[in-house]
Amino acid sequence: MPTLGSTILRLESVTSTNDIARDLAVSGSPEGCCVVAKEQTAGRGRQGHSWSSPPGEGLYFSLVLRPTLKAADSAVLTLAAAVAVAETLKGAFQLQPDIKWPNDLLVSGRKVSGILVESAIEGDRLQYAVMGIGINVAQSSFPSDIVQSATSITLETSRAILPDDVLNPLLERLEHWYRAALSQPKNVIARWEQLSSYARGCDVRVESSSGPIHGVTRGLSPGGALIVELASGQLKEIVSGEVSLRAVRPGQLSAVE
Ligand code: BTN
């Protein structure tokens, strides 16, 4: 069973580490191979967003995975990565991270890390998956479009942290939670729910493919979908979409449990 990061390919500038890792996966690279870049010129995020990747300031890397999972069960990979990043931010940097479903890592309400898992499917199983993780490490400022919503480890700790300081502790946590995703996915779901203030009793609006949904979060399904209770009492499982906290009008109670 290869270790994640047992082979590390370090590159200066790439379009996206996910592109390089995907090419490696297609050409037969074994599980665990890790591609790290100093800079990405076309770093990408979920739902068509870009990922700001200035040289030397963030950790940008992707892992080649060959999980024995059904495609339908693959959401647990993203959740496992989010748990690993959260535990690293807590354990190695004494931060208090939160996870916004499914994979936004927030510190002081601002985004510090994002995860993009891209996979190839053969029949009903995953042929390979590429787990791409971006962490804002040493940034002291951000482009104007994300200046209000982003933060970095350095800004939050007032310590001079480098991208490489984050990789090793994170690979260790990823190893643990990736193995759990394959053998005990329930443990990943339970840990994600523990680490996320969004998991239960949170009044949210979800921009889903079928339109906006309003309701109160009721935890994750065994497959990693966000369960939202609608005003009618109906429980809805959200498999993709953008979650935000619902604004509370003056005079309206915000407690929802
Ligand atoms: C998101 O929050 O929407 C996901 C962001 C993922 C960014 C990382 S950086 C390393 C890897 N390469 C990419 O192009 N994206 C991921």
Side-chain angles (χ1 to χ4, degrees), residues 204 213-217 226-230 234-236 238:
V204 293
I213 292 166
H214 293 144
V216 178
T217 57
L226 183 66
I227 302 170
V228 174
E229 183 175 345
L230 309 183
Q234 186 199 344
L235 295 179
K236 208 162 169 68
I238 313 287

Side-chain angles (χ1 to χ4, degrees), residues 14-25 35-37 40 42-45 60-64 114-119 128-134:
V14 300
T15 51
S16 157
T17 53
N18 270 29
D19 291 342
I20 311 293
R22 180 200 54 219
D23 292 349
L24 288 171
V35 180
V36 190
Q40 296 185 119
R44 59 179 179 269
Y60 322 115
F61 74 102
S62 302
L63 290 161
V64 174
I115 294 150
L116 180 65
V117 175
E118 295 176 316
S119 51
Y128 67 80
V130 165
M131 179 184 280
I133 301 182

Side-chain angles (χ1 to χ4, degrees), residues 51 103-107 109-114 136 149-152:
W51 186 257
N103 63 355
D104 284 354
L105 270 292
L106 308 177
V107 174
R110 291 170 181 244
K111 188 155 165 173
V112 71
S113 171
N136 299 330
S149 60
T151 190
S152 70

Side-chain angles (χ1 to χ4, degrees), residues 24-39:
L24 288 171
V26 168
S27 57
S29 179
E31 171 159 280
C33 186
C34 176
V35 180
V36 190
K38 278 218 172 104
E39 172 191 36

